[in-house]
Amino acid sequence: MLGYSAGLTADFRFMHPKGISCGARIWQRRQLRGKLQAHLVRYADDFVVMCRKDVEEPLKVIRHVLERLDLNLNEAKTHTVDATKASFNFLGFTLRMSRGIRTGKPYPHVCPADKSLKKIKAKLTAMTGRELTPIPLETIVGNVNRSLRGWVSYFHYRNSSQVMEKVKTHTEQRLRKHLMKRHKVKDRGIGEGRFPSVELYRRYGLYKVPTAAGWKSAHASV
């Protein structure tokens, strides 16, 4: 997603889905990616324009395209970011340019945004609440597994390992706490011994969140 982000990266957000769709088609038809050295990535009703050099000309072109469509740029949601110095969020991910520890070469660092992590953790907490102990355990675990699989299938990308590890740990802790409440185990140490992580997967069928990045390319329209 950050193929052209060695320099400045601009995040332009239109205020109307029609503007995004039509603007993206015009961008491609007129080959503005090559002419402006600006790569437009669109998904649904949102997109970013990643500029290799100047950002003023791409922004000027976008305003011109919108004017032709009788639309206005939402200035409140339009901002420019130098991805070599700061990060920006797009489609639930946080993106920035980093440098490899061993090689020192620049690379696009892409990981789930903090907001995305907080959201899935809150959802898992709600799905394993103590008030749900009357519900069959198979139902609880099944609901957790479905939510985890959906979240992982979207966010299991590039530099996601640390966030995946946090989600995995939180899931284990929540299910263990739920089991302790269900079996009236109050001591934390006893609970960890009775419901170790390996048993959460082997005995209770919990989905194991992968902690190594999986797919390698972004799922978005260009």
Side-chain angles (χ1 to χ4, degrees), residues 4-221:
Y4 279 168
S5 295
L8 294 177
T9 298
D11 181 359
F12 302 128
R13 297 173 187 266
F14 289 160
M15 63 180 296
H16 194 284
K18 177 183 176 183
I20 298 175
S21 180
C22 294
R25 287 198 297 270
I26 293 173
W27 198 275
Q28 185 175 25
R29 187 168 62 248
R30 297 194 175 183
Q31 300 180 336
L32 296 177
R33 171 176 174 172
K35 294 177 181 178
L36 300 176
Q37 292 291 282
H39 183 28
L40 186 151
V41 179
R42 179 180 72 88
Y43 186 87
D45 60 350
D46 206 356
F47 74 79
V48 295
V49 177
M50 294 170 286
C51 307
R52 195 172 190 177
K53 297 179 180 179
D54 179 52
V55 299
E56 294 303 324
E57 188 61 25
L59 180 56
K60 180 180 178 181
V61 171
I62 287 174
R63 286 198 172 99
H64 176 68
V65 170
L66 287 179
E67 288 176 0
R68 289 182 54 190
L69 298 172
D70 197 27
L71 296 170
N72 296 316
L73 189 67
N74 189 337
E75 299 293 346
K77 293 186 177 181
T78 302
H79 57 280
T80 302
V81 177
D82 183 342
T84 64
K85 299 178 180 179
S87 62
F88 67 95
N89 293 340
F90 182 56
L91 301 178
F93 289 91
T94 294
L95 304 91
R96 71 176 188 275
M97 292 301 297
S98 298
R99 288 187 176 275
I101 297 177
R102 288 179 295 181
T103 65
K105 294 181 179 180
Y107 73 93
H109 187 283
V110 185
C111 68
D114 289 342
K115 185 177 180 180
S116 300
L117 174 60
K118 291 179 181 178
K119 188 174 180 179
I120 185 62
K121 289 176 69 174
K123 185 175 184 179
L124 292 169
T125 297
M127 296 176 72
T128 53
R130 62 176 60 191
E131 71 279 2
L132 301 179
T133 52
I135 298 176
L137 183 59
E138 293 78 7
T139 301
I140 298 294
V141 176
N143 290 339
V144 167
N145 286 349
R146 280 189 290 274
S147 294
L148 283 175
R149 285 193 175 96
W151 195 88
V152 167
S153 68
Y154 182 80
F155 287 104
H156 189 202
Y157 174 59
R158 293 190 70 93
N159 311 98
S160 61
S161 296
Q162 292 184 1
V163 175
M164 291 292 164
E165 184 65 45
K166 291 179 181 179
V167 173
K168 177 174 175 288
T169 299
H170 181 76
T171 304
E172 293 175 356
Q173 292 173 344
R174 287 304 309 173
L175 182 56
R176 182 178 296 112
K177 191 171 183 179
H178 179 85
L179 288 168
M180 289 172 61
K181 180 64 179 179
R182 186 178 286 263
H183 294 281
K184 297 180 173 57
V185 177
K186 296 182 178 180
D187 184 86
R188 182 176 179 181
I190 295 177
E192 291 179 348
R194 185 172 175 181
F195 309 110
S197 295
V198 64
E199 286 297 293
L200 299 181
Y201 302 107
R202 187 185 67 82
R203 181 176 179 182
Y204 298 104
L206 180 65
Y207 169 71
K208 193 170 186 178
V209 176
T211 55
W215 41 280
K216 301 298 182 181
S217 59
H219 297 284
S221 300

